[in-house]
Amino acid sequence: MAAEGEYESILCMKPDVNVYRIPPRASNRAYRAADWKLDTPDWTGRMRVTAKGQVAYVKLEDKVSGELFAQAPLREYPGVALETVSDSSRYFVLRIEDDNGRSAFIGVGFGDRGDAFDFNVALQDHFKWVKQDTEFSKSAQLGDSGPKLDLGFKEGQTITLNIGQGKKRDKPRPQGAGGFGLLPPPPGGKIAPPPSSGSSNHNIETGMTYFHCLLELDSSNSNTVVQSNTSSDLWGDFSAPAR
């Protein structure tokens, strides 16, 4: 039953709907619209489908004044309060109730198949929401009553953290002088052969001879300088300039 503080929302509204007086059901078989007097409806008006809380209301009202003709509270769909017929998708069996609790079954039908489809979908969406809301409320109650997870530290409990121990990086490959790698030889190039041992020995002998000559020249220059220093007159060999 809807609470007093809940507001009423409109789910669907159709301007043309027909109401039929139907015979009582003789057996458990489904209702058939062909058993009704479809050409002569007993009442014609508009339909307004509202929701208040989890309960939906199908209200039959006058087209002009909006006066309520009958209403049917729906607490589930499909259910006893609203059934479909077996031979058409445009007709339904509705259980209406008055304020005194008395109920009766009537037949309702739409002239347009699209109106019947909208009416059906509006009720399905509402009770789908009701089912989800009920499951959410149950899960919330179970969560509050169930044991709570304690993530705090117990007395004397410690943890160990390993900080700064990352993965070891691979050592860089050795490079040549100057930080550059060795370049491959050019394509088609020829490498000069190493010098022969004979030319190497000849170069060594020539260098030694040149080195001995430098030593002898240096020793002769040293003797000349010493002898010239023993003379008392550095300018004795030069005569006075002629006038």
Side-chain angles (χ1 to χ4, degrees), residues 111-238:
D112 188 1
R113 196 176 302 273
D115 292 341
F117 177 80
D118 295 341
F119 170 67
N120 193 13
V121 171
L123 291 176
Q124 288 180 356
D125 291 343
H126 170 71
F127 285 102
K128 182 179 179 181
W129 169 81
V130 170
K131 182 179 179 181
Q132 294 177 351
D133 185 66
T134 303
E135 292 177 353
F136 178 77
S137 300
K138 289 181 179 179
S139 62
Q141 292 177 359
L142 292 176
D144 294 338
S145 60
K148 296 183 179 180
L149 182 61
D150 186 10
L151 300 178
F153 286 99
K154 304 297 186 295
E155 184 178 357
Q157 185 179 4
T158 59
I159 60 174
T160 304
L161 299 178
N162 296 326
I163 302 176
Q165 296 182 0
K167 296 182 178 179
K168 295 182 179 180
R169 298 182 178 178
D170 297 336
K171 295 183 179 180
R173 296 181 178 180
Q175 297 180 351
F180 298 95
L182 298 178
L183 298 177
K190 295 182 179 180
I191 300 176
S196 60
S197 60
S199 60
S200 177
N201 295 333
H202 175 70
N203 292 335
I204 294 174
E205 293 177 356
T206 304
M208 293 297 294
T209 304
Y210 179 71
F211 180 70
H212 287 298
C213 291
L214 290 177
L215 291 177
E216 292 177 358
L217 181 61
D218 185 46
S219 61
S220 61
N221 289 336
S222 300
N223 295 332
T224 304
V225 173
V226 171
Q227 291 176 2
S228 61
N229 288 337
T230 55
S231 176
S232 60
D233 187 5
L234 298 176
W235 306 98
D237 295 337
F238 295 93

Side-chain angles (χ1 to χ4, degrees), residues 4-86:
E4 295 295 335
E6 295 176 342
Y7 64 91
E8 187 177 31
S9 60
I10 298 177
L11 303 180
C12 179
M13 180 178 288
K14 294 301 175 183
D16 294 315
V17 63
N18 298 323
V19 175
Y20 304 92
R21 185 178 298 174
I22 62 176
R25 180 184 294 182
S27 61
N28 292 331
R29 69 181 181 90
Y31 288 100
R32 295 178 69 252
D35 299 336
W36 309 342
K37 298 177 181 181
L38 300 179
D39 296 335
T40 56
D42 295 294
W43 182 85
T44 301
R46 72 180 184 186
M47 176 185 286
R48 188 162 59 98
V49 183
T50 64
K52 194 172 184 180
Q54 296 185 352
V55 182
Y57 296 88
V58 179
K59 298 182 178 183
L60 304 176
E61 301 171 342
D62 186 78
K63 290 183 179 180
V64 179
S65 63
E67 183 182 357
L68 180 65
F69 171 74
Q71 73 173 359
L74 305 180
R75 293 172 179 83
E76 60 178 353
Y77 178 74
V80 179
L82 181 64
E83 300 181 39
T84 58
V85 297
S86 60

